[in-house]
């Protein structure tokens, strides 16, 4: 259907924030000043910001109202118990440990469970998860399912490759693998969901080998919605029941509530193991805050509690997932190849395919990212050799990315269809003269999470020829 639109926004707009498109010449200067690193561009100089769906959503009137209820007591705040109640209801876990964002959950968790040289399997690690595991001496390993690398429109491309996972466990020995992670939805492999069958099978494998199984559950509600939509047997269940079943197969979960918590800040660790919860809490108090606020203010905690009550609303999820799908169709029509099917929170353009004349070590994803800003004041993010390349800080080994992607993440409840149509129009313009785009070279870089601070320069036409 050519004129298919997603289900209309199940909300109306009560408060607005102005945005402007600054002149093109100024955008060109800004790119130079930022050394072609879009993280260094001021938000006021961005027109449509699709850098991330993390912490960038719009809160509901219920959430704004909840802020006033924020109990700022140092210990035992009422807000914490509301937060704990909804998380226990969704996850079924006994111990809920608040943190101010996902990467702190990763830090305290890995600090507590990892020994140097331990392996951490995952379907695909998100960059902070990978970095935190490495920072604690761990070796993150990814086992995306074989379908993940195919172009076909297959559901549940976020799955973990259970065969390879089990082979790996047998090869390395369960004693060197304290935990297996599963990222739901699988952000770094295109925001693709994981099926209940895959969750269950992974749980059985971990159980058999006595290894803990945890979710990185930043986008659990979107994942649950995909299960309802596409996995046989789940159509008559509520998304909440599906989410509860998902969590029933894991020992615990780390959550960045900046995504499906529908909040601007927040997170938690949920788990059943009392001794582990105690050790994590001890470290939490040293580096993050007391166990009933974990680095959040009482009002942040209220916003997350209210957000978790809203995110499983099926009208909201149909609109949310539908909007992303619509955006994907518009981008394809504009001539850019995307990872299919559309993920839950973002569209990923395959820049490697879109710009085959730019080799991975010249960062085709970054070339497109820069061009989106230059042409349309749009901010996207490269997820390819710039983000995942460089060198392993533990082994010194050269790292490569499996794909050269550009992610256009959609903040929750923020942009309308006409904003997305504008982005697609800009992409259509770039498509027409894509052969003229040039790659980039690195001027300066850090060892961990280099993409945040990297400095780049565009290759000159002469340099392009030499390379
Ligand atoms: N896990 C996943 C799957 C994530 O996508 C993120 C963050 C984190 C953990 C870390 O959470 O930011 O609260 O510390 N993802 C953001 C993104 C930054 O843009 O995808 P955090």
């Amino acid at each position: 259907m050519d004129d298919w639109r997603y289900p209309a926004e199940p909300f109306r707009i009560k408060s607005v924030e102005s945005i402007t498109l600054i002149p093109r010449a100024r955008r060109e200067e800004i790119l130079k000043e930022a050394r072609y690193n879009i993280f260094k561009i001021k938000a006021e100089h961005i027109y449509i910001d699709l850098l991330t769906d993390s912490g960038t959503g719009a809160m509901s009137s219920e959430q704004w109202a909840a802020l006033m209820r924020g109990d700022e007591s140092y210990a035992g705040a009422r807000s914490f118990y509301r937060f704990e109640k909804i998380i226990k209801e969704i996850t079924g876990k006994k111990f809920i440990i608040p943190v101010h964002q996902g990467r702190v959950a990763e830090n305290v968790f890995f600090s507590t469970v990892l020994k140097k040289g331990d392996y951490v399997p995952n379907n695909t690690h998100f960059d902070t998860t990978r970095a935190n595991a490495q920072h604690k001496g761990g070796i993150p390993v990814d086992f995306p399912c074989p379908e993940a690398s195919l172009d076909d429109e297959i559901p549940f491309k976020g799955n973990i490759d259970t065969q390879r996972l089990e082979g790996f466990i047998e090869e390395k020995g369960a004693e060197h693998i304290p935990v297996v992670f599963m990222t739901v939805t699988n952000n770094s492999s295109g925001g693709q969901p994981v099926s209940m069958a895959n969750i269950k099978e992974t749980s059985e494998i971990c159980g058999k080998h006595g290894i803990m199984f945890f979710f990185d559950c930043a986008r659990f509600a979107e994942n649950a919605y995909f299960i309802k939509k596409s996995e046989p047997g789940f159509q008559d269940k509520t998304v909440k029941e599906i989410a509860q079943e998902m969590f029933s197969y894991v020992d615990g979960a780390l959550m960045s509530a900046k995504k499906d918590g529908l909040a601007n800040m927040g997170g938690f660790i949920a788990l059943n193991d009392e001794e582990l919860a105690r050790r994590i809490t001890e470290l939490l108090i040293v580096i993050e805050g007391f166990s009933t606020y974990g680095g959040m203010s009482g009002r942040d905690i209220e916003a997350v509690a209210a957000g978790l009550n809203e995110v499983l609303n099926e009208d909201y999820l149909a609109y949310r997932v539908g909007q992303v799908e619509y955006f994907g169709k518009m981008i394809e029509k504009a001539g850019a190849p995307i990872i299919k099917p559309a993920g839950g929170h973002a569209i990923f353009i395959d820049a490697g395919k879109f710009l085959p004349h730019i080799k991975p070590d010249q960062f085709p994803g970054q070339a497109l990212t820069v061009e989106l800003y230059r042409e349309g004041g749009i901010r996207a993010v490269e997820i390819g050799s710039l983000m995942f390349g460089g060198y392993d800080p533990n082994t010194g080994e050269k790292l490569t990315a499996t794909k050269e992607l550009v992610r256009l993440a959609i903040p929750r409840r923020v942009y309308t269809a006409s904003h997305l149509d504008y982005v697609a129009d800009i992409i259509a313009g770039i498509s027409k003269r894509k052969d003229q785009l040039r790659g980039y070279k690195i001027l300066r870089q850090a060892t961990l999470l280099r993409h945040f601070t990297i400095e780049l320069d565009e290759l000159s036409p002469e340099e392009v020829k030499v390379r």
Side-chain angles (χ1 to χ4, degrees):
M1 255 187 309
D2 241 355
D3 53 356
W4 177 79
R5 273 272 169 107
Y6 55 90
E9 283 73 5
F11 51 81
R12 52 186 176 176
I13 297 165
K14 195 167 207 163
S15 175
V16 297
E17 188 179 3
S18 293
I19 49 176
T20 30
L21 180 61
I22 57 168
R24 189 192 158 101
R26 181 73 191 112
R27 298 201 295 274
E28 191 66 62
E29 277 169 21
I30 286 169
L31 279 170
K32 283 206 184 89
E33 285 159 20
R35 299 274 191 202
Y36 300 97
N37 180 342
I38 49 87
F39 285 99
K40 296 190 182 185
I41 301 178
K42 287 183 181 163
E44 65 182 298
H45 295 145
I46 309 274
Y47 182 42
I48 308 282
D49 202 345
L50 306 181
L51 175 61
T52 179
D53 64 319
S54 179
T56 51
M59 291 210 295
S60 67
S61 50
E62 288 302 315
Q63 284 177 295
W64 283 107
L67 297 191
M68 282 306 289
R69 278 207 308 259
D71 176 351
E72 307 299 344
S73 304
Y74 187 96
R78 279 191 306 273
S79 302
F80 172 74
Y81 296 104
R82 269 194 280 275
F83 170 92
E84 187 188 43
K85 180 166 178 281
I86 179 70
I87 299 168
K88 282 186 169 172
E89 199 178 308
I90 296 170
T91 67
K93 301 299 167 232
K94 288 195 204 120
F95 302 98
I96 310 301
I97 300 166
V99 291
H100 86 269
Q101 64 178 97
R103 67 198 71 185
V104 183
E106 292 157 10
N107 181 326
V108 292
F109 182 78
F110 287 136
S111 300
T112 312
V113 306
L114 287 190
K115 292 190 307 298
K116 194 164 163 44
D118 278 349
Y119 295 96
V120 185
N122 200 323
N123 43 358
T124 319
H125 284 83
F126 181 67
D127 60 351
T128 59
T129 323
R130 183 186 311 277
N132 270 299
Q134 288 171 337
H135 193 57
K136 303 302 162 200
I139 305 168
V141 276
D142 291 345
F143 296 113
C145 65
E147 300 83 40
S149 53
L150 303 179
D151 291 337
D152 312 57
E153 201 150 329
I154 305 167
F156 305 114
K157 281 170 138 182
N159 282 349
I160 199 165
D161 185 332
T162 47
Q163 241 178 341
R164 280 178 63 212
L165 171 69
E166 190 153 32
F168 184 83
I169 295 172
E170 278 157 12
E171 183 197 327
K172 301 291 180 190
E175 65 279 18
H176 301 298
I177 309 173
V179 60
V180 169
F181 264 88
M182 187 180 262
T183 309
V184 297
T185 57
N186 191 347
N187 186 1
S188 303
S189 94
Q192 302 292 320
V194 171
S195 72
M196 193 73 86
N198 190 249
I199 294 170
K200 205 170 155 194
E201 200 186 334
T202 310
S203 175
E204 283 161 9
I205 293 172
C206 292
K208 190 165 92 188
H209 293 275
I211 299 174
M212 286 191 293
F213 180 32
F214 266 65
F215 279 151
D216 176 348
C217 69
R219 300 177 181 86
F220 75 94
E222 288 162 9
N223 200 107
Y225 184 76
F226 278 112
I227 290 177
K228 174 157 176 148
K229 230 176 95 177
S230 311
E231 190 165 351
F234 290 93
Q235 285 61 49
D236 295 333
K237 297 207 161 132
T238 64
V239 179
K240 187 170 182 177
E241 286 165 348
I242 295 171
Q244 287 167 330
E245 183 174 339
M246 286 166 62
F247 283 106
S248 74
Y249 296 120
V250 291
D251 297 297
L254 313 188
M255 167 106 183
S256 165
K258 299 172 72 172
K259 288 83 169 171
D260 276 349
L262 299 179
N264 302 118
M265 195 50 77
F268 61 82
I269 302 174
L271 75 171
N272 276 336
D273 183 328
E274 187 168 5
E275 168 59 15
L276 184 55
R278 192 187 54 71
R279 284 167 52 216
I280 290 173
T281 303
E282 279 174 17
L283 180 60
L284 183 89
I285 295 170
V286 177
I287 67 171
E288 179 77 340
F290 187 64
S291 57
T292 58
Y293 74 87
M296 283 183 281
S297 61
R299 51 184 178 275
D300 287 341
I301 295 176
E302 289 284 352
V304 175
L308 288 171
N309 271 305
E310 286 173 18
V311 76
L312 291 167
N313 176 300
E314 303 195 9
D315 287 342
Y316 159 73
L317 286 167
Y319 139 78
R320 165 76 180 157
V321 169
Q323 187 186 46
V324 178
E325 187 183 341
Y326 167 80
F327 190 37
K329 288 189 197 305
M330 297 305 289
I331 292 177
E332 266 200 293
K333 229 194 253 177
I338 63 165
I339 301 288
K340 288 203 282 193
H345 66 291
I347 292 298
F348 292 70
I349 297 179
D350 191 332
K353 273 200 196 140
F354 188 58
L355 304 171
H357 62 289
I358 304 178
K359 298 289 160 270
D361 65 349
Q362 299 173 10
F363 312 116
Q366 189 64 10
L368 178 57
T369 302
V370 169
E371 202 62 16
L372 284 166
Y373 181 73
R374 191 181 267 144
E375 282 300 309
I378 299 157
R379 178 154 61 177
V381 66
E382 191 263 11
I383 302 200
S385 290
L386 193 76
M387 184 180 274
F388 292 126
Y391 294 90
D392 185 305
N394 294 324
T395 62
E397 193 188 322
K398 188 165 166 34
L399 304 167
T400 48
T402 47
K403 279 205 167 97
E404 302 299 329
L405 304 177
V406 171
R407 186 183 76 172
L408 299 138
I410 308 191
R412 293 171 182 76
R413 309 189 287 206
V414 171
Y415 292 117
T416 64
S418 41
H419 288 118
L420 303 183
D421 291 347
Y422 165 84
V423 177
D425 285 348
I426 295 293
I427 294 172
I430 296 173
S431 281
K432 290 199 188 106
R433 42 169 201 82
K434 67 192 179 84
D435 300 345
Q436 293 158 25
L437 265 59
R438 296 198 298 264
Y440 285 80
K441 62 180 174 193
I442 296 175
L443 302 179
R444 194 188 288 262
Q445 61 179 314
T447 46
L448 274 182
L449 300 179
R450 66 174 180 175
H451 52 287
F452 288 124
T453 53
I454 203 159
E455 297 184 5
L456 300 161
D457 201 6
E458 194 167 18
L459 294 171
S460 65
E462 293 70 40
E463 284 173 307
V464 170
K465 271 188 218 134
V466 174
R467 285 167 175 241

